[in-house]
Amino acid sequence: TGHRMMTLFASQSGKSPPSKRRSTQSSKKKDQDSTLQRRRSVGSTTRSGLKRRTAGNPKPLQHSSKLLDPTVLFSNNHLLVVNKPTGYHSQPNESIEKKVSKKCLLSKLKENELGGGSAKNFLLPMHRLDQPCTGVLLLSKTSKAGTRTGNAFRKHLVQKDYFCVVEGDLDGMIGRSEIVRSRSGRHICKLSGVLMKGAGKSKGGRSVSFKPLTTSNSDQGRVCFLEWEHLLTVGGNRKAGRHLVRVVTSTGAKHQVR
């Protein structure tokens, strides 16, 4: 297997593959030859696939359908902090009937007795994360902890950082934003807009449209503000590439980061 991988990479770089070590036992050599013969067709298909992917735009992102177990980052008698894997609902899905969904993170945490109370099943999510997203999720184990944590959110004492991968023209994104400050050679941009209900419906509910904030449309929808920072270009270039950005929100408007 290692020799086939080296041959594959060498064919892409134009170099000659390393010579294969010969086996002294005839039976082992026959087995290896038959195995290599079966993999030649697979190797040729893989080579053509690699050529297609490296040409033009970066290949599309693929998501695994397998649900991973959540990781506990912090836990005491009052709070539980977990890393929510992708695929889970951070709160029970209202579209599902009374039956328990396997994709409900809250139900899985209660099953593992990670909550508070005598039955270890009291858990109150303090915020939400979309189903395709992964990240830190904060939950309260008692009602008193939930009240205090909720007050901290309302007083903007909690800062949530989102790390997103976006595609498109980076300079165009900067042009539609206001540069508020620079840090280590990178611009911190502010985006202000109005979220309004769209005409159509998406899989997760009614669609949302975004318009830049002006003096005439501030009362037409939910006003939201966020700051974003470009961290890295991970595919393509600034004009047509895939970029990693860090987003900090100052309002709790639904779908504002998206």
Side-chain angles (χ1 to χ4, degrees):
T1 304
H3 182 263
R4 291 299 301 162
M5 293 177 63
M6 293 295 292
T7 305
L8 172 62
F9 295 146
S11 65
Q12 296 297 316
S13 60
K15 299 179 181 180
S16 301
S19 58
K20 182 187 173 186
R21 184 179 63 183
R22 295 183 179 179
S23 175
T24 56
Q25 299 179 5
S26 58
S27 59
K28 183 182 295 185
K29 185 177 185 303
K30 290 180 180 180
D31 294 340
Q32 292 176 347
D33 291 342
S34 61
T35 303
L36 290 175
Q37 184 66 31
R38 288 195 302 268
R39 291 174 178 168
R40 280 196 180 98
S41 59
V42 178
S44 61
T45 305
T46 307
R47 283 194 292 270
S48 61
L50 285 177
K51 290 179 181 178
R52 288 193 299 270
R53 290 175 188 149
T54 54
N57 296 330
K59 64 179 181 179
L61 297 176
Q62 297 181 355
H63 302 279
S64 175
S65 58
K66 182 180 179 181
L67 291 176
L68 302 178
D69 291 331
T71 304
V72 177
L73 304 177
F74 175 81
S75 179
N76 61 10
N77 294 331
H78 310 284
L79 298 173
L80 174 67
V81 184
V82 298
N83 181 20
K84 185 191 87 69
T86 180
Y88 283 101
H89 300 282
S90 56
Q91 294 188 354
N93 191 354
E94 297 176 356
S95 63
I96 301 177
E97 298 179 354
K98 295 182 179 180
K99 61 181 181 180
V100 178
S101 172
K102 295 182 179 180
K103 296 183 179 180
C104 179
L105 179 64
L106 193 61
S107 300
K108 186 173 184 62
L109 296 175
K110 290 181 179 181
E111 290 176 359
N112 295 336
E113 297 184 349
L114 293 174
S118 57
K120 296 184 178 181
N121 62 353
F122 183 92
L123 282 174
L124 179 63
M126 302 310 303
H127 59 100
R128 294 173 180 245
L129 283 176
D130 289 347
Q131 184 180 2
C133 300
T134 179
V136 177
L137 189 67
L138 176 64
L139 305 101
S140 297
K141 290 186 176 182
T142 63
S143 57
K144 182 180 292 187
T147 301
R148 293 177 177 177
T149 307
N151 291 333
F153 272 96
R154 282 187 289 273
K155 294 179 181 179
H156 301 285
L157 301 177
V158 181
Q159 176 177 311
K160 293 188 292 183
D161 292 1
Y162 297 87
F163 295 89
C164 316
V165 177
V166 297
E167 291 181 341
D169 184 2
L170 179 63
D171 295 328
M173 293 167 55
I174 297 176
R176 291 189 296 270
S177 305
E178 175 189 358
I179 300 177
V180 292
R181 61 185 182 275
S182 298
R183 181 177 62 186
S184 302
R186 294 196 295 258
H187 296 308
I188 309 296
C189 301
K190 182 178 180 180
L191 192 61
S192 306
V194 179
L195 294 179
M196 296 178 289
K197 294 182 179 180
K201 287 189 176 182
S202 61
K203 184 177 179 181
R206 185 172 294 277
S207 61
V208 176
S209 62
F210 169 85
K211 289 186 178 181
L213 179 63
T214 62
T215 55
S216 60
N217 66 358
S218 59
D219 57 346
Q220 297 179 7
R222 178 70 184 272
V223 177
C224 61
F225 307 93
L226 59 81
E227 292 184 356
W228 67 275
E229 174 187 10
H230 173 251
L231 301 178
L232 182 68
T233 297
V234 295
N237 50 46
R238 290 177 66 92
K239 288 294 182 183
R242 189 173 292 150
H243 314 286
L244 175 65
V245 297
R246 171 179 166 268
V247 180
V248 179
T249 64
S250 58
T251 51
K254 191 176 181 180
H255 300 304
Q256 60 177 334
V257 178
R258 186 182 306 169

